[in-house]
Amino acid sequence: MLGKFVYANPTKLYFGENSLEYLTGELERYGKNIMLVYGGGSIKKNGIYAKVVQLLTGSGKTVFEDAGVMSNPTLEKLYEGCRIAKENKVDLILAVGGGSVCDYAKAVSVAAYCEEDPWGKYYLRKEEVNNKIIPVGCVLTMVGTGSEMNGGSVITNHAAKAKIGRVFGEEVFPRFSILDPTYTFTLPRYQMVAGFFDIMSHILEQYFSGTDDNTSDYIMEGLLRSLIHSSRIAVKNPNDYEARSNIMWTATWALNTLVAKGKTTDWMVHMIGQSIGAYTDATHGMTLAAVSMPYYRHILPYGLAKFKRYAINVWDVRPEGKTDEQIAEAGLAEMESYMRELGLVLNGRELGMDETMLEGIAQGSFILEGGYKVLNKDEIMAILKETLQA
Ligand code: NZQ
Ligand code: ZN
């Protein structure tokens, strides 16, 4: 049911080929000191770094670099970024990379001037931000997380074996994001398909909640159909602009708060996947892939009507002559064969999981209550065991 809500999304998007040209105009709004945040070097290889630095120096900015943001950014790295930001009094954090770099930039933006330990305040206790926030802008190079237009920021604390996401409010959303689909052409295939599945998972986490006639569900079915269609094209031809641009746009709308309106939202695949990530440091989208089939088969009986709708409206399952259960199961079978076609990881062992970790992963999985079934730890253990047998 669409109850009462407020909707706003302050991120300005610049979309399309060569949209980096808009960076100069954006830079005029901020002071001189720019912190350029990026990952392990892909942007140097594909030339994006050189273009960004040219625009920054051409705009008379002083650039402070913070390189080496790893996938699944760590708390130690966050402390380092906070020092760089504070010491150099940066006016804008410019994140050039994927979700990890964007998430990290947001974490630095709230943590640099935080007088307490940001891990405790913002990630464990989820307190409001009451200190200075440094503005963030993004140039996206990897598609999947939606971090370019949301307040999400996931940090991994290896010492505590915890990977925790925080969803900050509008004031922490990127001020602007530049989305050039051609920047994603150089992604390795493994990262590309992991991102595709991350998008699918974001949509499903919101879709599989509630049973009423909600506009968000119709939007999500459209997004899913577009994603499935375009991803099949992109795996055959990664340089297909139409497919890659559709996917980039779908990813943004999958997790920029719009489709969550009126939904309780589930997020258990992410909770379990993140805990797997804390133990294995595996690629985010692949952790979700490994959990999804056992999880959805487990909750199907509790959300049968919605799984039936999913099978028919998203996977074109023909309902004639089938029971509701058969229709719903046929939908999940279609999903599984699509996942195999893309080359996604369905077996947790390929991510470095083994039996000795399962108890810890289950303990580290936060249990949320917005889905069709509130899981207990035994059910999480059963799902995890299945991921080792897929
Ligand atoms: O580090 P570099 O060298 O740049 O290489 C990266 C990295 O190895 C590479 N890459 C990125 N763009 C490339 C490229 N390689 C070649 N060409 C390009 N154009 O891809 C690898 C993965 O990048 P990463 O940023 O780690 O991936 P992703 O975008 O999937 O981000 C994952 C992080 O986002 C969090 C995840 O938990 C994980 O920590 N999430 C954030 C969310 C949010 N903000 O709302 C929600 C998501 O559910 C997710 O939890
Ligand atoms: Zn995700």
Side-chain angles (χ1 to χ4, degrees):
M1 192 184 63
L2 283 176
K4 200 175 175 191
F5 63 79
V6 175
Y7 181 73
N9 190 316
T11 305
K12 183 165 186 174
L13 299 177
Y14 296 99
F15 191 94
E17 200 166 354
N18 298 323
S19 46
L20 188 66
E21 67 194 21
Y22 293 108
L23 180 62
T24 310
E26 278 294 334
L27 289 174
E28 285 169 12
R29 300 165 187 265
Y30 303 96
K32 202 172 160 45
N33 295 344
I34 311 293
M35 178 160 156
L36 175 59
V37 177
Y38 58 97
S42 70
I43 64 164
K44 289 201 168 162
K45 283 192 215 117
N46 59 25
I48 298 171
Y49 172 85
K51 288 184 197 162
V52 169
V53 169
Q54 194 184 14
L55 292 176
L56 287 169
T57 48
S59 302
K61 303 293 183 186
T62 308
V63 181
F64 300 95
E65 292 207 14
D66 182 7
V69 178
M70 60 294 283
S71 285
N72 310 318
T74 63
L75 184 59
E76 287 71 30
K77 181 69 186 164
L78 172 60
Y79 293 143
E80 185 189 316
C82 289
R83 269 196 308 279
I84 298 172
K86 211 172 162 183
E87 276 170 20
N88 299 295
K89 299 189 175 57
V90 306
D91 299 301
L92 173 75
I93 302 173
L94 185 64
V96 184
S100 294
V101 175
C102 299
D103 276 22
Y104 169 83
K106 286 180 244 177
V108 173
S109 87
V110 298
Y113 291 97
C114 178
E115 284 177 2
E116 297 164 59
D117 180 21
W119 175 252
K121 182 177 170 73
Y122 293 134
Y123 289 86
L124 292 179
R125 299 195 300 279
K126 312 257 193 280
E127 289 176 21
E128 291 302 314
V129 185
N130 52 7
N131 50 257
K132 177 177 166 174
I133 298 170
I134 306 169
V136 169
C138 301
V139 177
L140 196 67
T141 67
M142 149 101 198
V143 167
T145 64
S147 189
E148 66 275 13
M149 202 184 188
N150 70 31
S153 172
V154 185
I155 294 293
T156 300
N157 179 343
H158 284 297
K161 285 215 180 310
K163 180 177 181 184
I164 300 184
R166 168 72 197 263
V167 182
F168 291 105
E170 265 175 64
E171 66 285 1
V172 185
F173 281 41
R175 299 289 177 89
F176 65 90
S177 284
I178 293 173
L179 276 58
D180 182 338
T182 64
Y183 285 6
T184 67
F185 287 178
T186 54
L187 269 169
R189 189 189 167 92
Y190 187 86
Q191 293 297 338
M192 176 182 81
V193 296
F196 294 170
F197 193 74
D198 194 19
I199 304 168
M200 177 169 276
S201 181
H202 294 158
I203 303 171
L204 297 182
E205 298 273 27
Q206 299 167 94
Y207 184 75
F208 288 121
S209 69
T211 52
D212 54 334
D213 187 37
N214 187 316
T215 300
S216 292
D217 291 312
Y218 296 87
I219 299 173
M220 286 189 273
E221 285 163 359
L223 291 174
L224 284 165
R225 291 188 71 95
S226 171
L227 173 67
I228 294 162
H229 174 76
S230 297
S231 58
R232 282 184 161 139
I233 296 170
V235 289
K236 291 202 189 83
N237 180 11
N239 288 4
D240 186 306
Y241 183 85
E242 184 170 58
R244 297 304 286 271
S245 58
N246 282 332
I247 294 166
M248 194 171 215
W249 196 223
T250 299
T252 302
W253 286 94
L255 197 55
N256 69 359
T257 75
L258 175 84
V259 298
K261 294 300 164 216
K263 308 293 299 180
T264 52
T265 75
D266 182 342
W267 294 110
M268 278 313 298
V269 169
H270 271 69
M271 292 304 105
I272 302 171
Q274 279 178 13
S275 193
I276 293 172
Y279 276 75
T280 60
D281 208 24
T283 297
H284 171 66
M286 293 306 189
T287 65
L288 308 175
V291 172
S292 287
M293 292 321 302
Y295 177 71
Y296 287 125
R297 290 203 165 105
H298 183 75
I299 63 159
L300 181 147
Y302 305 95
L304 182 60
K306 194 57 167 289
F307 280 94
K308 177 185 170 188
R309 175 175 167 166
Y310 175 61
I312 296 169
N313 290 359
V314 176
W315 295 103
D316 294 327
V317 170
R318 301 287 301 266
E320 298 84 9
K322 296 191 187 78
T323 64
D324 287 357
E325 286 79 5
Q326 285 169 336
I327 298 167
E329 280 159 15
L332 289 187
E334 287 290 334
M335 178 175 161
E336 180 171 344
S337 79
Y338 162 83
M339 291 172 74
R340 292 191 188 280
E341 183 187 326
L342 253 57
L344 293 160
V345 173
L346 279 93
N347 188 312
R349 287 187 208 281
E350 285 177 44
L351 304 176
M353 281 170 72
D354 64 36
E355 281 77 5
T356 64
M357 298 175 181
L358 301 190
E359 195 67 47
I361 294 171
Q363 284 304 330
S365 303
F366 293 96
I367 293 175
L368 304 178
E369 302 190 345
Y372 292 127
K373 167 81 176 68
V374 180
L375 297 187
N376 57 44
K377 293 285 177 198
D378 291 342
E379 289 173 295
I380 296 178
M381 279 299 284
I383 289 163
L384 289 171
K385 280 183 190 151
E386 271 184 59
T387 71
L388 297 185
Q389 283 149 22

